[in-house]
Amino acid sequence: MAVATQRRIGAPVYTGSRIPQPTPSVLRTSEEALATGDVLTVNFGPNHPSTHGVLRLIVDLYGEDVTGVEAVIGYLHTGFEKNMEQKTWWKCITYPERIDYVSFQNNEYVFVAAVEKLLSLEIPPKATWMRTLLNELNRIHSHLVWLGTSALELGAISMFWYAFRERETILDLFELVAGYRMHTRYFQVGGLAEDIPRGFFPQTRSFCDWMPKAIDDYETLLSRNKIWLERTEGIGLLSADDAIALGQSGPVLRASGVDWDIRRDEPYLAYHQVDFRVPVFPEGDVYARYRVHIEEMRQSVRIVEQCLDRLERMEGEPWIADDRKVVLPPRHELHTSMESLIHHFKIVTEGFRVPEGEVYVAIESPRGELGCYVCSDGGPKPWRVKFRAPSFVALQATATCMSDALIADMIAVVGSLDTVMGEVDR
Amino acid sequence: MALNGRLRDDGLKSERLLWPTKGPSRFEEEVDNLEQRVGLTTLAKAVAWAQTNSMWPDTFGLACCAIEMMSIVTARYDIARFGMEPFRGSPRQADLLIVSGRVSNKMAAPLRQIYDQMLEPKWVIAMGACASSGGMFNNYAIVQSVDKLVPVDIYVPGCPPRPEQLIEGIVRLHEAVKAGVPPAYELRSVAS
Amino acid sequence: MTTPAGGWESVPGLADVKEAHGETTLVVEPRNLIDAATYLRDELGFGFLSDVTAVDYLGWSSKGVSGFIGTPGGRDLNRPMTQGYQALPEAKPKRFAMNYHLLAIADHPQRVRLQAWVEDGEPVPSVVPVWPTADWHEREAYDMVGIQIDGHPNLVRILMDDDWEGHPLRKDYPLGGEPVRFSGEE
């Protein structure tokens, strides 16, 4: 399979391809193993403390070796896409947040970005920078949840408490800005829902001063820990060619030696104006994915600081676009201007109309390439919305990563692929 | 736990299900004896106190509410002070089922199975809007309220509920148990 | 969005090229899909399949339809908000569209959308031999919209129950759910 060999670093993790045939996402037990009669089929059911949500894995075990793996999903299928077809564009924005419930603002942003692309709307810089800041805070939040739960599943229980300590600080910041800890619904088509409240900048600064020390704490606990290294080094190998063929993106792809990050290579929001490094490691194992996550947290703190530097000088600027056909007018205008009243009425009752067309917008969510395909028929409601969830694709790689592994490694592998089942099942 | 019944009528029901004609065991006779001597109300209250102070939940996190449920275990909201920090992986060892998140039609059967595997007395908290009523997802895929599948004791609204809201729900459950309110499966069946 | 050096005409089986909102859409006939896909992957470097989206355009240019047609005897949850709209979009060639979103991970990244139109029951060849990641995406397209995929190694339902009837994301499949009391919609 000839795939592009640009943007690679390091030597290939293994030669050839380990993608199972004929079905790429199912590892099948070989006939010889089945003939011995010693193969035990075990159900890692939807309710399991270590499967990151409602994932069902049907595993064939030969002793402790995993000879067959199949993932069954759909236990959290919510019908987001069908529901969103019934709501006006504004009301739709509440839904994407709950798809990937750990990096909720990235989901909000990708949908809002797709709608703004169809509308060809210009976003004021204050909103762009604030969205960048919140997306990066959300990235740190998501990586903290990943770190806490993955380490918990491998037995490093203290990591959970340390990671969630910082997570609470981030959720305090979200609550300060938007009024709620999770599912903030702060992004609006055109900008932000409201102005940035006072007190947000100093509190975020103190968080940025503290966070690098906290990440040092996490590294002290795990990075050179002999047990962690034994459990994660050399486990779950995925080469760069296989990763691209399997559609992997985000930390999984970067840990396999492919230097691809949508924030830097197809920049959106304010990413082309901030300075950050993209961590890439060539080993392709669980430990490399862990290193990528840790380093990304450090870089996100840097990005947040740079956004703060810019935002602190934007006091008093507009936070939402001025297009009255799409954005609600400020309330004081409703008393004096007839057009504002009519616009307000139309936007609230019928909803604004988005011109006909189809777009696909992809951003770098903490899990990888999060894409939103929106098809509009020119009316007040979407015709079709589809979310390309990185976890949906990442779970397909379980079979490839699990060739030649033990059952204890399966927990490490499934954890390292950073799957959120809400995203997988939508 | 019914305060107006005899202690030996609670618990050990599963044994009688399998062997209806079995007479009281040695343990039950001793408990009965103790009850006569100590006084019914005091013993029942003592048992209720013991149950509420170590009501171990089952890991049944489904969606967004699970993340907030995980944060009540952490240091800031700390449910270890209520004795509830060991989230048991096995329903056989759990007392409380916190259904946190949206229950899809595919997940309905495993949910009922987990509930059936729990031993009595058992309580159910429906956490969040999706578990309480289907939430914002009034569609083909989501079960509109988990009380169609299992009898629910406490509904905690929110999307997702703050950790403090969930702890309020848990504390109210503890107060109900200490006041003698029986678990939901004795009061009502599932909704239609 | 820059076109490749040879232009898009070199893609085998190309029926149409559309450009809108900075995105390029290549329309191919379903029978030429594998040739076009292999050419795009090997010659033009589109080795990364981002997404496979199936869209149902039933009722696309009918007046008063925005997203859902009520089944006889089923509730039309659409009714309170539908206002109709002035301009009706142009009709689409067939009922279903299969969109393949491709990405070329190269020093100059590029994205393109490959589109194939099919009617109900008309099969689409599977691109799993070209991009293995299409496995679950195609299963989802089959499960949700009912597109028949030819040559898929494991075409079973993925998100719905195995014995579910119907394809939920089709436009003639009702939203489901329960009536909400006192909302004026009963």
Side-chain angles (χ1 to χ4, degrees), chain A residues 127-405:
Chain A
T128 308
W129 282 94
M130 189 60 179
R131 284 174 171 183
T132 317
L133 193 156
L134 287 174
N135 277 11
E136 288 306 308
L137 275 182
N138 214 197
R139 187 178 312 272
I140 304 175
H141 169 269
S142 169
H143 286 335
L144 283 172
V145 172
W146 171 83
L147 191 59
T149 49
S150 296
L152 179 68
E153 288 162 11
L154 289 181
I157 304 182
S158 339
M159 202 59 230
F160 180 72
W161 272 270
Y162 279 87
F164 274 59
R165 174 188 65 184
E166 265 65 55
R167 179 184 171 250
E168 293 295 331
T169 324
I170 297 181
L171 289 178
D172 281 343
L173 291 174
F174 288 155
E175 195 177 356
L176 180 60
V177 146
Y180 205 63
R181 294 155 49 103
M182 290 176 67
H183 302 328
T184 51
R185 183 58 176 90
Y186 188 56
F187 298 161
Q188 201 74 281
V189 174
L192 307 170
E194 285 184 11
D195 200 1
I196 305 171
R198 268 185 308 188
F200 177 70
F201 296 135
Q203 201 160 332
T204 317
R205 280 245 180 249
S206 58
F207 166 76
C208 290
D209 293 333
W210 164 250
M211 190 65 189
K213 303 191 193 84
I215 302 179
D216 288 336
D217 275 345
Y218 311 148
E219 292 221 68
T220 317
L221 277 174
L222 287 179
S223 290
R224 300 249 50 93
N225 184 322
K226 195 71 171 65
I227 304 177
W228 184 255
L229 290 171
E230 288 266 347
R231 290 287 314 256
T232 57
E233 259 185 343
I235 307 292
L237 295 170
L238 190 65
S239 75
D241 283 335
D242 278 351
I244 294 184
L246 284 170
Q248 302 302 306
S249 49
V252 177
L253 189 62
R254 289 194 279 280
S256 292
V258 181
D259 192 9
W260 172 252
D261 186 333
I262 299 179
R263 293 178 292 168
R264 180 197 57 198
D265 300 319
E266 292 182 320
Y268 56 98
L269 283 178
Y271 285 109
H272 51 282
Q273 298 174 58
V274 290
D275 182 38
F276 65 103
R277 202 173 69 83
V278 174
V280 187
F281 294 93
E283 293 95 20
D285 58 8
V286 173
Y287 188 65
R289 290 170 209 148
Y290 158 79
R291 299 273 310 277
V292 169
H293 278 105
I294 294 279
E295 192 55 38
E296 277 190 6
M297 276 201 275
R298 290 194 197 277
Q299 298 301 315
S300 290
V301 174
R302 279 184 65 197
I303 300 178
V304 170
E305 282 171 349
Q306 291 170 63
C307 291
L308 279 175
D309 290 335
R310 289 290 289 256
L311 280 168
E312 279 167 350
R313 292 176 290 175
M314 287 189 192
E315 193 75 32
E317 287 191 21
W319 61 91
I320 198 166
D322 213 15
D323 186 350
R324 293 304 164 78
K325 294 264 185 298
V326 172
V327 171
L328 283 181
R331 286 210 79 95
H332 61 265
E333 272 189 27
L334 296 182
H335 299 296
T336 49
S337 161
M338 191 61 196
E339 290 80 26
S340 294
L341 197 60
I342 297 175
H343 283 135
H344 184 106
F345 178 76
K346 289 290 275 182
I347 292 177
V348 169
T349 52
E350 184 189 358
F352 56 83
R353 301 205 196 125
V354 172
E356 183 203 335
E358 52 184 5
V359 284
Y360 177 77
V361 171
I363 68 165
E364 182 82 18
S365 99
R367 285 174 181 77
E369 175 177 328
L370 175 66
C372 181
Y373 169 84
V374 170
C375 174
S376 163
D377 58 356
K381 299 186 196 185
W383 181 265
R384 171 84 163 103
V385 182
K386 164 87 164 43
F387 287 89
R388 187 264 186 200
S391 309
F392 183 73
V393 180
L395 266 188
Q396 292 184 66
T398 320
T400 311
C401 292
M402 286 299 294
S403 15
D404 219 28

Side-chain angles (χ1 to χ4, degrees), chain B residues 87-151:
Chain B
F87 272 68
R88 311 311 295 168
S90 163
R92 303 269 182 212
Q93 301 167 0
D95 304 306
L96 176 64
L97 186 68
I98 306 183
V99 184
S100 51
R102 44 199 190 250
V103 182
S104 71
N105 282 314
K106 203 165 172 181
M107 193 62 194
L111 166 62
R112 182 70 211 189
Q113 225 179 343
I114 299 282
Y115 178 76
D116 286 338
Q117 286 175 346
M118 288 168 70
L119 302 180
E120 292 162 7
K122 54 191 173 185
W123 295 271
V124 174
I125 291 185
M127 175 185 179
C130 296
S132 309
S133 71
M136 62 165 72
F137 305 111
N138 190 6
N139 58 22
Y140 62 90
I142 295 292
V143 176
Q144 301 296 301
S145 171
V146 90
D147 67 16
K148 292 186 198 291
L149 302 166
V150 298

Side-chain angles (χ1 to χ4, degrees), chain A residues 47 73 75 78 172 175 180, chain B residues 59 76 102 104 106 160 162:
Chain A
N47 183 44
I73 61 173
Y75 289 95
T78 317
D172 281 343
E175 195 177 356
Y180 205 63
Chain B
T59 53
R76 189 188 277 198
R102 44 199 190 250
S104 71
K106 203 165 172 181
R162 284 189 64 112

Side-chain angles (χ1 to χ4, degrees), chain A residues 25-38:
Chain A
S25 57
V26 175
L27 189 66
R28 277 199 208 291
T29 318
S30 62
E31 293 301 325
E32 307 89 58
L34 281 173
T36 60
D38 273 337

